[in-house]
Amino acid sequence: MIEKRQFYIDGAWVEAREGRDHPVIDPSTEEPCAVIALGGQADTDAAVAAARAAFPAWMATPPAERIAHVEKILEIYETRAEDLAQAISMEMGAPIDMARSSQVPAGSWHTANFLKAAREFAFDAPLGDHAPNDRIIHEPVGVVGMITPWNWPMNQITLKVIAALVAGCTMVLKPSEESPLDALIFAEIIDAAGLPRGVFNLVNGDGAGVGSQLSAHADVDMISFTGSARAGRLISRSAADTLKRVSLELGGKGANLIFGDADEKAVKRGVLHCMNNTGQSCNAPTRMLVERNRYDRTVEEAAAIAEGLKVGPASEPGRHIGPVVNATQFQKVQDLIQTGIDEGARLVAGGTGRPEGFNKGFYVRPTVFADVTNDMTIAQEEIFGPVLSIIPFDTEEEGIAIANDTPYGLTNYVQTGDPARANRLARGLRSGMVEMNGKSRGAGAPFGGMKQSGHGREGGKWGIEDFLEVKAVSGWTPGV
């Protein structure tokens, strides 16, 4: 049993001032694997005060020096990769091989991309040849409260922390109480890298406690949040009183449009992407929209792929999916699967209950529904579990209309052999990202959505810009 009741504030590990114990549950076993402290107002205030005090000096630190600090963080991060993988696997249920190959490397990948973007970023540059005495200066927004989720913890922590560091912000991180152990290791990495005191601070807590306190805090200039749309609305309301900037990366209900001329791997690619991380990804392609002339064989293929997926404990090596994160999420997924059945969708794989051979652990059967209509609950609500809904369409226009008929707008997917059609769909789909024919976004591409999927962008130069203010200066004397 791991016990870590300390927070990282002002460059030191300190005991919680108002902490109450919180057990961290291993979702593979339903047993406690760690105990942390959840902070209170005094802890939040101390962390914000440290960040506020550190801000002037960190803001004035030349970008090249800030970049050098991040280079050191990346170097140490890579030496702690196995520690991070073990923590993520145990606390949120990612299979250990997946934690090693995807969860942890996401953090180093983003960090490397931010370093490249930061080296090329014009923090201070002339407006243009037409205005030689005008200057555009990018300055950090200030103290940032960061609230990160449990599903891709290092992915989200690095997208926020590293971008804010190179921008010149100071920060207070509140990781998810479901997956706090990797964040504590990350704080150890920051400490070992020798970042100036107060630049990075970590306080564990829940959304109702530390999360709400950061959102309302008068000395916090910005909130960067990743999580549910419900929580995003609450944070926005709370932040409005102090007019702080709010960046939100929220949920999704991605459509994957498969046309009759799609390549032979399109269906398998779509099912596996939906089920990856046990379906606990906001950008998962959970609605498979299939052109009618390919529909029946797609349903059969998708069902067979899902039925062939293995489910197992996170600690076991191999290619399988693990449990969902906790009892609440398990019950939500079970209820939504039952809702799909009750509303008339055709269950072709999986269903309610645990997979065969499991009577403990938050394991869900990989589930596929066919003959789904877009007004069904399972087609509109983000399930966050290994559940795929298949919907037929007849024309390109109908496919776009179904894809866009959702409150969300994060990621959509297109599978077609017709390049002109692919480009038309990329423009017609209302989402922050469109991925076509299995091509992943390139290094440094922005991540973020439209509509109720949030606003703001993470990753690359756009992620750095999210933490910057733009100052226009006239009357500048060049060369002085």
Side-chain angles (χ1 to χ4, degrees), residues 42-122:
D43 302 292
T44 301
D45 289 345
V48 171
R52 176 58 64 193
F55 176 64
W58 185 243
M59 173 184 173
T61 300
E65 292 184 27
R66 299 198 297 257
I67 289 169
H69 279 289
V70 172
E71 288 172 339
K72 185 64 174 178
I73 290 168
L74 178 58
E75 178 186 326
I76 299 170
Y77 183 98
E78 290 172 341
T79 70
R80 300 294 303 272
E82 182 61 19
D83 295 334
L84 289 165
Q86 293 289 343
I88 292 169
S89 181
M90 179 172 61
E91 68 193 352
M92 59 76 58
I96 186 61
D97 284 354
M98 185 258 190
R100 290 169 176 150
S101 65
S102 298
Q103 288 273 4
V104 174
S108 50
W109 191 71
H110 289 309
T111 302
N113 291 337
F114 278 132
L115 284 169
K116 181 177 185 299
R119 294 182 189 112
E120 299 170 354
F121 199 95

Side-chain angles (χ1 to χ4, degrees), residues 22-26 31-36 91 177-181:
H22 171 77
V24 180
I25 305 300
D26 181 340
E31 299 295 332
C33 62
V35 176
I36 62 167
E91 68 193 352
E177 68 274 23
E178 302 290 344
S179 59
L181 304 180

Side-chain angles (χ1 to χ4, degrees), residues 124 126 132-133 135 137 473 475-480:
D124 185 331
N133 299 113
R135 199 83 180 170
I137 301 173
V473 179
W476 183 272
T477 302
V480 176

Side-chain angles (χ1 to χ4, degrees), residues 294-305:
R294 189 170 174 162
Y295 182 73
D296 289 340
R297 60 190 174 102
T298 292
V299 170
E300 292 181 7
E301 184 180 356
I305 293 166

Side-chain angles (χ1 to χ4, degrees), residues 91-332:
E91 68 193 352
M92 59 76 58
I96 186 61
D97 284 354
M98 185 258 190
R100 290 169 176 150
S101 65
S102 298
Q103 288 273 4
V104 174
S108 50
W109 191 71
H110 289 309
T111 302
N113 291 337
F114 278 132
L115 284 169
K116 181 177 185 299
R119 294 182 189 112
E120 299 170 354
F121 199 95
F123 288 95
D124 185 331
L127 174 62
D129 293 340
H130 68 290
N133 299 113
D134 280 36
R135 199 83 180 170
I136 301 299
I137 301 173
H138 290 87
E139 292 185 355
V141 70
V143 175
V144 183
M146 300 175 174
I147 304 172
T148 55
W150 46 262
N151 59 322
W152 285 91
M154 275 298 110
N155 182 80
Q156 292 306 130
I157 287 173
T158 53
L159 276 171
K160 298 182 191 304
V161 170
I162 302 301
L165 286 176
V166 297
C169 294
T170 57
M171 65 214 67
V172 179
L173 171 67
K174 188 210 81 67
S176 170
E177 68 274 23
E178 302 290 344
S179 59
L181 304 180
D182 65 280
L184 291 167
I185 295 171
F186 186 79
E188 294 173 357
I189 293 168
I190 293 284
D191 187 62
L195 209 62
R197 288 176 50 182
V199 171
F200 171 88
N201 305 273
L202 179 148
V203 178
N204 278 315
D206 56 19
V210 174
S212 295
Q213 292 157 14
L214 286 172
S215 301
H217 207 292
D219 284 335
V220 171
D221 300 295
M222 174 181 175
I223 292 290
S224 180
F225 170 76
T226 300
S228 71
R230 179 195 61 80
R233 285 189 286 271
L234 292 172
I235 287 168
S236 297
R237 292 189 193 107
S238 179
D241 287 340
T242 51
L243 295 176
K244 58 172 56 69
R245 184 186 298 185
V246 178
S247 179
L248 301 174
E249 198 279 282
L250 307 177
K253 196 67 183 177
N256 184 12
L257 288 86
I258 299 180
F259 288 85
D261 62 354
D263 69 85
E264 62 181 15
K265 296 181 180 179
V267 176
K268 182 177 182 180
R269 188 164 61 236
V271 175
L272 295 181
H273 194 170
C274 173
M275 305 290 175
N276 186 44
N277 204 38
T278 320
Q280 299 172 124
S281 300
C282 54
N283 63 340
T286 54
R287 293 181 298 153
M288 183 175 282
L289 279 52
V290 184
E291 192 171 16
R292 187 82 62 179
N293 61 13
R294 189 170 174 162
Y295 182 73
D296 289 340
R297 60 190 174 102
T298 292
V299 170
E300 292 181 7
E301 184 180 356
I305 293 166
E307 291 285 5
L309 287 174
K310 295 181 179 179
V311 179
S315 58
E316 290 185 0
R319 294 174 62 88
H320 59 277
I321 65 174
V324 295
V325 70
N326 58 28
T328 300
Q329 188 63 23
F330 175 81
Q331 192 56 54
K332 177 191 174 186

